[in-house]
Amino acid sequence: MRVDNAPLESTINEYLPDVVCFTALTMDVPKVRALCRTTKESESSPIVCVGGEHATFLPQSFADVADYVFQGRAIEAFRSFLVDVRSSAKMPRLIPGDTSHKFLIPRRTLHDAYQKEYVYGAMFDISLATLSVGCPFRCTYCSVPGTEPRHVVDTVDHAMAVVESAPTNNILYTDSNFLANRRVAAALLRELGDHPRKFKIMVSFRSDTIARHPELTRLLADAGVKVGAMGLESTDGGQLLEWDKQSTVSDNDTAIDMLHDAGIMVRGNFVITQDFDSVRFASLEQYIDQRNIEFPTFQILTPLPGSLDYPKIISRCVVKDFKYFDLSHSVLPLAQLPARRFHEHFKGLFEHSYSARKLLRLAPRLPAWTAVRGAFTALTSRLAMSYDKQDEFFLYHC
């Protein structure tokens, strides 16, 4: 639905499906609830299923609009459900996920029509691959530990088969922590580096892994990694300690320098807490400039279902509407700045980081078409990011 303009209602009435399924992050809940109702009212009145991260932890959000809710990774559970879907009345309305995880080679022809629309950051026409699911770390603000309680790693041979099935050489690894199993990751990186296809890769990993195992940086570069994504999170060591991040600001600085020395660009994520004031926003902009972080991203601290912090802080929320749990709105009370000023500063982080001047400076490091398309996407996104017509949201903070 993100890339197809056909209305859902007309598609359902044309296809007359037996089952319609939705997946939802927390911010998608109001939209998916409405779509569930629309689907049930269609001519074929199909069975409606909902799954995804939010449904895993708060299935009651869909109890009145969906026939079945799937929890966790439910690939095999869903397959079993479909085999006997006409007898599904015998099944429980809440279906648990799989007890184990099986890595599959995706049937990529299913999305041929959409391939050119797949974009992530400065990467276009991307193909997805996965070496592992889950993460062995337990950062308290992160929903991954709850979503993926087990860390499971694929074999190198199968992981290579997944990459070789990709229609493009632009590979985005979806792992939360690609280097969590260093032995397997290193073996895969060597295989990628030796492959006749020259891949352009983006992967996510922890800064302390790079800082403490410098040999991995050269393997990443030789394999074709162009962008390394790291959860830098904060320039405050005390904050990292409070989140049980188990890495330091020094680790962040060292990893950034090492990746740059290897010719790898950095996508660094920062979490903006509710006690930010004007000085801290300016300080973060200065840090990004000093460290020359090419693709910074920013998320406002939000109690996400599945995170260890969720039970502790959800009761403090001044905003209860899930559509604002999008990491770009503060649903928690603000400590230092009025709400409108805080969010203007937050918007300013993106405007500063992706100014025309910075995009021009970055352009020579990217393929020509990627530079043009990336600049257009960044500038369009900046213009679209506005809090001007959101009085309803700001009333929550009054």
Side-chain angles (χ1 to χ4, degrees):
M1 293 181 67
R2 295 180 182 180
V3 294
D4 198 323
N5 292 324
L8 178 63
E9 297 92 324
S10 62
T11 302
I12 290 174
N13 290 333
E14 176 184 354
Y15 190 70
L16 299 178
D18 296 304
V19 183
V20 174
C21 312
F22 298 97
T23 186
L25 296 172
T26 298
M27 66 180 182
D28 300 319
V29 169
K31 180 68 172 177
V32 169
R33 283 179 53 82
L35 290 170
C36 286
R37 293 192 185 97
T38 298
T39 303
K40 295 296 289 183
E41 293 168 359
S42 63
E43 294 177 17
S44 58
S45 188
I47 294 169
V48 174
C49 301
V50 177
E53 186 173 291
H54 187 91
T56 295
F57 301 104
L58 295 178
Q60 61 269 29
S61 295
F62 306 104
D64 60 328
V65 293
D67 297 300
Y68 299 94
V69 177
F70 289 80
Q71 293 182 287
R73 283 189 181 265
I75 297 171
E76 295 302 324
F78 185 58
R79 187 197 305 272
S80 298
F81 171 83
L82 290 178
V83 167
D84 196 23
V85 69
R86 287 303 181 188
S87 302
S88 58
K90 304 173 185 176
M91 301 181 187
R93 290 174 56 85
L94 184 61
I95 300 178
D98 305 335
T99 56
S100 61
H101 180 74
K102 180 181 180 182
F103 291 93
L104 304 172
I105 296 178
R107 187 174 157 195
R108 299 185 188 272
T109 54
L110 291 173
H111 59 68
D112 281 348
Y114 308 110
Q115 179 61 50
K116 297 296 183 183
E117 303 298 325
Y118 289 159
V119 178
Y120 190 80
M123 294 186 70
F124 296 85
D125 194 15
I126 58 174
S127 297
L128 303 184
T130 302
L131 176 62
S132 65
V133 296
C135 178
F137 292 87
R138 293 291 182 264
C139 305
T140 62
Y141 58 85
C142 181
S143 62
V144 171
T147 308
E148 303 283 3
R150 299 178 302 276
H151 181 240
V152 187
V153 186
D154 200 359
T155 65
V156 173
D157 288 345
H158 189 270
M160 281 303 302
V162 171
V163 172
E164 289 169 342
S165 75
T168 72
N169 291 337
N170 304 321
I171 307 297
L172 171 65
Y173 273 93
T174 64
D175 304 53
S176 301
N177 188 350
F178 180 83
L179 297 176
N181 186 314
R182 297 193 306 277
R183 179 185 60 80
V184 176
L188 177 60
L189 290 170
R190 293 188 186 96
E191 292 282 342
L192 291 167
D194 292 338
H195 201 277
R197 288 171 66 177
K198 296 306 174 186
F199 299 104
K200 297 177 181 178
I201 301 170
M202 177 175 169
V203 294
S204 299
F205 42 72
R206 289 171 55 90
S207 65
D208 57 336
T209 306
I210 295 296
R212 298 166 195 176
H213 302 279
E215 71 281 358
L216 293 173
T217 310
R218 180 45 53 192
L219 286 176
L220 290 165
D222 291 346
V225 173
K226 304 301 181 185
V227 181
M230 298 184 291
L232 304 177
E233 319 308 8
S234 179
T235 58
D236 180 351
Q239 183 67 80
L240 295 178
L241 189 65
E242 181 181 334
W243 284 331
D244 199 17
K245 181 69 181 176
Q246 298 186 35
S247 62
T248 66
V249 176
S250 177
D251 289 330
N252 292 349
D253 294 345
T254 299
I256 292 168
D257 291 343
M258 292 174 65
L259 292 172
H260 282 159
D261 288 345
I264 298 173
M265 293 180 284
V266 173
R267 182 181 176 94
N269 185 67
F270 295 91
V271 178
I272 308 304
T273 53
Q274 280 68 26
D275 57 355
F276 261 58
D277 57 15
S278 300
V279 173
R280 289 189 64 184
F281 276 109
S283 177
L284 180 54
E285 290 180 355
Q286 185 179 25
Y287 177 83
I288 290 165
D289 291 345
Q290 289 174 342
R291 308 308 306 184
N292 192 27
I293 298 172
E294 290 88 350
F295 304 109
T297 61
F298 312 96
Q299 300 175 349
I300 297 174
L301 180 66
T302 303
L304 295 174
S307 66
L308 299 177
D309 276 346
Y310 180 81
K312 304 176 188 175
I313 61 178
I314 186 62
S315 61
R316 292 170 40 206
C317 287
V318 295
V319 182
K320 307 293 186 181
D321 190 334
F322 282 137
K323 73 180 179 183
Y324 293 117
F325 283 58
D326 60 357
L327 309 181
S328 295
H329 293 82
S330 179
V331 298
L332 291 165
L334 298 168
Q336 299 293 335
L337 294 173
R340 289 186 183 275
R341 192 174 176 194
F342 176 93
H343 288 83
E344 284 303 314
H345 274 299
F346 180 71
K347 176 185 174 184
L349 290 172
F350 290 93
E351 294 174 339
H352 176 85
S353 300
Y354 297 96
S355 65
R357 178 177 61 84
K358 290 193 173 185
L359 292 172
L360 284 172
R361 192 171 62 189
L362 185 61
R365 302 177 62 184
L366 302 171
W369 176 234
T370 297
V372 172
R373 192 173 176 186
F376 177 79
T377 300
L379 292 171
T380 302
S381 299
R382 274 180 43 205
L383 292 173
M385 187 178 182
S386 173
Y387 297 99
D388 290 344
K389 298 180 180 180
Q390 299 193 19
D391 291 345
E392 176 193 58
F393 168 74
F394 289 112
L395 283 174
Y396 287 114
H397 284 276
C398 291

